[in-house]
Amino acid sequence: MGAARPRILTPRLVAVALAAGVLLAALSVPAGAIAMQRRASAMPTAVAGPPVFALAEYSKRDGHIVLVTRRDFPTGTIHRAMSAPDGASWVLAMAAGIPNAGLVERDARPGPLREPLDGRDRWSEMRSAGWPFAAAFGVERSTTGGMTRKAGLWEVAALGRTWVVPYAPRWPGLLANTLFYAGLVLAILAWLRARTMRRRRAAGRCLACGYELGAGVERCPECGLAQEAGHGR
């Protein structure tokens, strides 16, 4: 039997694209976290200067005032929640210094930062990273004695500084990124395959294996593929 006529899209090509999509989606998390941290360190904060927040809300609950801020970056998001017993001047002063910070009735903390308030001053932070969608997150919280505890965060020392990389998966974002990158890779591979087939046809070569065919050859002597009428003309 002769070789099957080559197609632009094949199961093997799709499998390669999916594998590449998984790899690129995973790599987008550390790459996005590093890019976000570099940009965050270059932006003003509530201490160093006028704060730059995409969201700032505070609420009063359980005898506490809780200030929640969010900083958005192209490759990730940093949520921070700061709480203290109601009336703590530093929280109120910080909220007053943020343009458009609003008092809300609901708990403005994102789900991973919601934990019981126990009367101590505290802060917690959630980092999400990935591109084009957040594919992983991690949380850091203050504890008694000024110590911190981390969940879903790696600290990697490189290039003279410590990089914080989240690794707890956000499955919807991870799946969306996998499909996004797999689609890009599949489009590139299909275009390259189609270009190769066009060049082989124009040069009078076999579409399947690239063997050089002579005039009037109806079947490739290398792989047995039957040639199209007018092939190579």
Side-chain angles (χ1 to χ4, degrees), residues 2-228:
R5 186 161 300 281
R7 295 175 297 171
I8 293 177
L9 290 180
T10 64
R12 181 180 180 182
L13 211 65
V14 173
V16 170
L18 283 174
V22 171
L23 177 62
L24 291 173
L27 290 177
S28 77
V29 173
I34 290 172
M36 176 178 66
Q37 190 169 332
R38 287 176 61 90
R39 187 161 182 178
S41 63
M43 293 175 64
T45 64
V47 176
V52 179
F53 296 127
L55 174 146
E57 296 177 337
Y58 61 99
S59 58
K60 297 181 178 181
R61 56 196 337 99
D62 302 329
H64 285 69
I65 181 168
V66 182
L67 172 64
V68 177
T69 60
R70 190 187 78 222
R71 303 172 75 186
D72 291 337
F73 303 88
T75 59
T77 300
I78 299 176
H79 264 101
R80 175 169 281 218
M82 291 158 282
S83 64
D86 193 1
S89 58
W90 68 270
V91 180
L92 294 173
M94 185 173 290
I98 300 175
N100 302 319
L103 175 64
V104 295
E105 293 297 326
R106 60 183 176 83
D107 189 343
R109 294 176 296 175
L113 297 186
R114 293 183 184 179
E115 60 179 5
L117 302 172
D118 56 10
R120 298 192 305 268
D121 291 355
R122 65 169 47 199
W123 61 267
S124 54
E125 183 177 274
M126 180 178 71
R127 291 176 178 247
S128 305
W131 191 89
F133 303 102
F137 74 98
V139 175
E140 181 177 3
R141 292 186 174 92
S142 67
T143 59
T144 305
M147 303 296 290
T148 61
R149 54 188 171 92
K150 298 178 176 65
L153 291 174
W154 276 321
E155 289 190 352
V156 181
L159 303 177
R161 63 183 298 182
T162 299
W163 306 98
V164 181
V165 179
Y167 65 85
R170 277 190 162 178
W171 296 112
L174 188 59
L175 176 60
N177 285 357
T178 297
L179 295 177
F180 172 79
Y181 288 114
L184 285 181
V185 172
L186 184 61
I188 293 172
L189 294 178
W191 176 77
L192 291 173
R193 185 171 174 82
R195 187 183 66 169
T196 298
M197 292 173 63
R198 285 196 303 269
R199 289 181 174 179
R200 287 177 176 177
R201 180 181 285 108
R205 295 179 177 272
C206 175
L207 296 181
C209 68
Y211 188 84
E212 187 173 355
L213 304 173
V217 176
E218 297 181 354
R219 186 175 296 276
C220 175
E222 182 72 17
C223 67
L225 176 68
Q227 304 302 307
E228 302 171 349

